[in-house]
Amino acid sequence: MQLAGIPLAIIGAVFLSVGAQLQHRGVTKVEAQSGGTTSSGLNLAQLSALLTRPSWVLGTLMLGLAVVFQLGALAFSPLIIVQPLGAIALVLTAIINSKTHGVRLNTASVRAIVACVGGVGLFVTIAALVAGEKEVTDDNLVVILGLLAVVLAVFGAAFLLQRRRTRAVFYIVAAGFIYGFVATLAKVIINRVQNGNVEWLTILCGVALLAGAALGAYFVQNAYSSGPPDLVIAGLTVIDPMVAIGIGIVVLGEAAGAPLWAVIGFVIAGALAVWGVLQLARHHPQLQV
């Protein structure tokens, strides 16, 4: 039964891919029409203008459907299995972006994408063999919320202090970390609701989830303004699950008792996927001009 969420996660990845492409189109059009720069982050006027762009609105609806399917997947399967499957969106986004912008991916970029997907795929395979659901305790929640508060404070401060120097990689890393916690909180809330354990701590998790999702979404829009959509999705689909899985392993104990070969496999797979993101950021043809 814990594999039942995989088809839902794959469908969600398709919506994520299409939604990312449409949102990227909307952000770039708003930036061009405003005649301004987004080097210091999207301002309120530009954020408001996004609501008037049909492509951005449609992309947002697509991402909303992606979230719905992702939550459905989390209701059936452990986070450690479901979350990495978003890497499928990377391949789809790369293909769509290449066709839309007439940009032929070079060999280095293709190699980087293969590394991302291969690393995440290996991670999923190992996780499917050793992962299992664990009861989420109040102490687990306190730790997760505390870590999220630190992450939000660090990235928020870094953005405010260095906003004129920030580039796509910063926004991608920040959003990836934050969304990793958002996915974890979503899984926790679903778990507690399924077990009839809805109280003040669960509600606090919901508030934290919304706050994290809002800041993460802002960082993603800024990433679209300074980088191609397949680079953004590459970072999110690698960093997001790595953070979420790290929480699942260390805090929630979803891989407790995993054999040594599985631990080594996790490390190798994670390193391969992260290397792929860094290589894509370095060699993507849309960043060579």
Side-chain angles (χ1 to χ4, degrees):
M1 284 298 296
Q2 75 173 7
L3 302 180
I6 291 179
L8 295 176
I10 293 175
I11 295 173
V14 174
F15 281 118
L16 173 62
S17 174
V18 178
Q21 187 67 47
L22 291 172
Q23 278 201 331
H24 177 267
R25 181 183 302 174
V27 170
T28 54
K29 286 186 176 180
V30 165
E31 183 181 15
Q33 291 179 352
S34 66
T37 177
T38 59
S39 61
S40 59
L42 294 168
N43 56 40
L44 289 177
Q46 290 169 324
L47 290 174
S48 299
L50 288 176
L51 298 175
T52 67
R53 297 303 315 173
S55 59
W56 187 87
V57 173
L58 181 58
T60 302
L61 293 176
M62 290 286 186
L63 292 180
L65 288 173
V67 170
V68 171
F69 278 97
Q70 184 73 3
L71 292 176
L74 288 172
F76 286 101
S77 303
L79 181 148
I80 198 171
I81 292 178
V82 169
Q83 200 63 12
L85 290 173
I88 295 172
L90 169 57
V91 177
L92 296 176
T93 304
I95 294 173
I96 295 173
N97 186 62
S98 178
K99 298 295 183 181
T100 301
H101 293 90
V103 176
R104 184 180 179 84
L105 291 175
N106 52 37
T107 302
S109 295
V110 173
R111 187 186 304 118
I113 291 174
V114 171
C116 289
V117 177
V120 174
L122 177 60
F123 212 112
V124 172
T125 301
I126 298 173
L129 296 174
V130 303
E133 293 275 34
K134 298 290 183 180
E135 180 182 358
V136 181
T137 66
D138 289 350
D139 289 341
N140 293 151
L141 282 185
V142 171
V143 172
I144 293 171
L145 291 173
L147 290 173
L148 175 59
V150 172
V151 168
L152 293 178
V154 169
F155 283 116
F159 171 69
L160 293 175
L161 294 174
Q162 302 290 329
R163 59 187 302 172
R164 295 187 180 279
R165 300 179 182 178
T166 52
R167 296 293 183 266
V169 172
F170 168 82
Y171 293 123
I172 292 168
V173 171
F177 264 87
I178 293 171
Y179 279 156
F181 279 90
V182 168
T184 302
L185 289 175
K187 178 62 176 176
V188 167
I189 293 172
I190 290 173
N191 183 283
R192 292 172 81 87
V193 170
Q194 288 176 332
N195 290 281
N197 187 16
V198 180
E199 28 66 77
W200 70 270
L201 196 53
T202 304
I203 295 174
L204 182 59
C205 284
V207 174
L209 184 152
L210 293 176
L215 183 58
Y218 177 70
F219 283 150
V220 167
Q221 303 312 310
N222 281 299
Y224 286 146
S225 72
S226 52
D230 42 351
L231 173 59
V232 178
I233 294 299
L236 293 181
T237 55
V238 169
I239 298 172
D240 173 344
M242 294 303 162
V243 172
I245 289 170
I247 297 171
I249 293 174
V250 177
V251 180
L252 303 182
E254 289 194 342
L260 179 60
W261 67 264
V263 175
I264 296 174
F266 282 143
V267 173
I268 294 175
L272 179 62
V274 171
W275 177 84
V277 173
L278 296 177
Q279 290 300 301
L280 188 60
R282 180 179 180 183
H283 298 292
H284 197 289
Q286 285 180 266
L287 297 176
Q288 303 304 306
V289 294

